[in-house]
Amino acid sequence: MSSETSPHKPRVAVVFGGRSSEHAISVLTAGAVLRAIDREKYDVLPIGITTDGRWALTADDPERMAIADRQLPSVAALAESTEGAVVLPVDPTNREVVYSEPGSVPKALGEVDVVFPVLHGPYGEDGTLQGLLELSGVPYVGSGVLASAVGQDKDYMKRVFTSFGLPVGPYEVIRPREWDKDPAAARRKIVDFAGEHGWPLFVKPARAGSSMGITKVDDLGGLDEAIEEARRHDPKILVESLLRGREIECGVLEFEDGPRASVPAEIPPVTAHDFYDFEAKYIDSADGIVPAPLSEEQTAKVQELAVAAFEAASCEGLVRADFFLQDNGEFVINEINTLPGFTPISMYPRMWQESGVSYPELIDRLLQAALQRSTGLR
């Protein structure tokens, strides 16, 4: 539908950045989305959230939202002002976005029809932003409050999967109160887990993503440093045993007739890194194999499990589901990501490209689905 035949193009606020340790990854994703969005079909308002939580009016300049000389981008570098703030009224009858600077009269930026949140991690992907948008009555791309929270917290994510009969690997959780009350006892809990399941272990923040704060621990000597690194990102930590096998990912996208799975991808072993960590994903651009070299039966099984995970967590819009194909031929689900990256090297868009849905079409489908979905209970 062209702008000539439509009196009103939907206004899309692309919200990115945020307070989590995945701030830069969100900026990368926003740049890719802004490049791909159809400007003939949508008006676009880029809004960046700084690392200290200020909503800033930013330049609509995708070229500045990229890694340059191995340096990550930030909202602070894109903001039009160091003090100005964007305000979204918490009022379902008013979608008018306002911009204000100290000493100046607030300026109306117009109404927003839909929000595309490309925030990763806490304070954006975890249900907090979704709750704000529900209160404001503004439709948005992706899962609602509950599914977003479940998708962020790997502890409760695994509990939900287990309750629906989905296969998960061995894990242990150290909650903040446990560590604060008796660190020695919490540490013994991890050592006992290692005694049962063996070394190495992965120690990770329970509510972070993009492989932030994860350490592979080969023996007792590296445990304390790994715990400290994980707790630097989240006071609640998760400990997982090593699952030997292949890393398989699968995208889920909601269509008119329900969620469908993409062709799966495989993350090959990364020789320059101990595992598929942040540097491998975003700095050194580790390549995934799309489609994954699986049998028809294996492909069908992982697609079935990906959709089942989407449904188990009550997700909407999109999900990337990550699995291990163990040496015994069985799949184990590692996690889901309710707002997967849309960077040029991200696996989610690549899997759908291979499944016949182009990047611009993917963005359009997500926006159209959000515009047709109401806020509130549904």
Side-chain angles (χ1 to χ4, degrees):
M1 184 168 60
S2 71
S3 58
E4 294 178 0
T5 59
S6 173
H8 171 72
K9 289 193 292 185
R11 194 114 186 275
V12 181
V14 178
V15 181
F16 63 98
R19 294 162 57 189
S20 83
S21 54
E22 297 177 78
H23 177 96
I25 305 310
S26 175
V27 179
L28 293 174
T29 298
V33 169
L34 289 170
R35 277 189 206 94
I37 199 165
D38 184 353
R39 303 306 178 98
E40 294 295 316
K41 192 169 183 178
Y42 301 100
D43 284 327
V44 178
L45 177 66
I47 299 174
I49 302 178
T50 63
T51 53
D52 61 2
R54 179 172 63 91
W55 288 46
L57 195 60
T58 66
D60 186 358
D61 188 356
E63 299 309 313
R64 293 170 58 196
M65 301 179 183
I67 296 174
D69 299 324
R70 298 177 73 87
Q71 296 299 307
L72 295 168
S74 70
V75 168
L78 295 161
E80 295 190 356
S81 164
T82 57
E83 295 182 305
V86 174
V87 178
L88 181 68
V90 185
D91 179 357
T93 66
N94 176 19
R95 295 180 182 176
E96 187 85 38
V97 176
V98 175
Y99 178 72
S100 63
E101 289 191 69
S104 300
V105 177
K107 180 174 65 174
L109 299 178
E111 290 195 349
V112 166
D113 296 293
V114 62
V115 169
F116 198 141
V118 292
L119 294 143
H120 302 306
Y123 313 111
E125 188 181 354
D126 59 350
T128 50
L129 177 65
Q130 290 74 14
L132 172 64
L133 296 173
E134 292 285 353
L135 289 172
S136 302
V138 180
Y140 54 92
V141 169
S143 290
V145 175
L146 174 65
S148 297
V150 168
Q152 187 65 41
D153 190 319
K154 297 177 181 65
D155 172 16
Y156 284 96
M157 181 196 304
K158 291 176 186 291
R159 292 172 186 269
V160 168
F161 290 160
T162 300
S163 72
F164 278 82
L166 296 172
V168 302
Y171 72 98
E172 188 60 85
V173 178
I174 304 298
R175 299 172 185 277
R177 285 197 192 93
E178 288 182 81
W179 186 262
D180 294 340
K181 182 179 178 181
D182 192 343
R187 190 175 183 276
R188 282 196 303 273
K189 187 175 171 181
I190 299 175
V191 173
D192 290 344
F193 178 82
E196 182 179 355
H197 299 285
W199 301 91
L201 301 176
F202 287 94
V203 178
K204 60 177 67 174
R207 295 164 292 193
S210 297
S211 297
M212 290 284 192
I214 300 179
T215 306
K216 182 182 177 185
V217 184
D218 293 311
D219 53 43
L220 200 59
L223 182 59
D224 290 342
E225 187 177 347
I227 293 171
E228 184 179 335
E229 171 61 14
R231 283 179 53 81
R232 194 166 66 82
H233 295 268
D234 185 353
K236 180 180 180 181
I237 67 172
L238 193 75
V239 181
E240 296 175 335
S241 62
L242 173 67
L243 295 176
R244 301 187 185 279
R246 299 159 63 186
E247 290 190 52
I248 306 295
E249 297 184 349
C250 190
V252 180
L253 179 63
E254 196 165 10
F255 286 76
E256 290 78 8
D257 60 350
R260 300 181 200 170
S262 70
V263 299
E266 179 168 5
I267 307 300
V270 186
T271 55
H273 300 262
D274 208 17
F275 61 98
Y276 193 44
D277 62 5
F278 178 86
E279 288 268 327
K281 282 182 179 179
Y282 297 106
I283 304 298
D284 293 333
S285 304
D287 258 343
I289 303 168
V290 189
L294 300 171
S295 68
E296 287 186 17
E297 292 77 13
Q298 288 172 327
T299 296
K301 183 60 178 177
V302 76
Q303 289 174 327
E304 175 191 332
L305 287 171
V307 172
F310 182 97
E311 297 283 33
S314 298
C315 296
E316 295 170 287
L318 72 164
V319 149
R320 192 194 72 231
D322 301 345
F323 299 86
F324 290 106
L325 176 54
Q326 299 179 100
D327 293 342
N328 63 6
E330 297 296 319
F331 282 102
V332 167
I333 185 165
N334 183 37
E335 65 181 51
I336 57 171
N337 194 317
T338 56
L339 281 173
F342 277 79
T343 69
I345 61 169
S346 293
M347 297 308 299
Y348 186 84
R350 288 183 59 196
M351 288 187 286
W352 279 108
Q353 176 79 39
E354 192 67 26
S355 305
V357 180
S358 70
Y359 192 13
E361 184 185 349
L362 181 61
I363 300 297
D364 182 58
R365 180 169 286 279
L366 289 169
L367 288 170
Q368 288 299 316
L371 284 164
Q372 293 163 22
R373 191 167 60 231
S374 64
T375 54
L377 298 177
R378 55 189 182 273

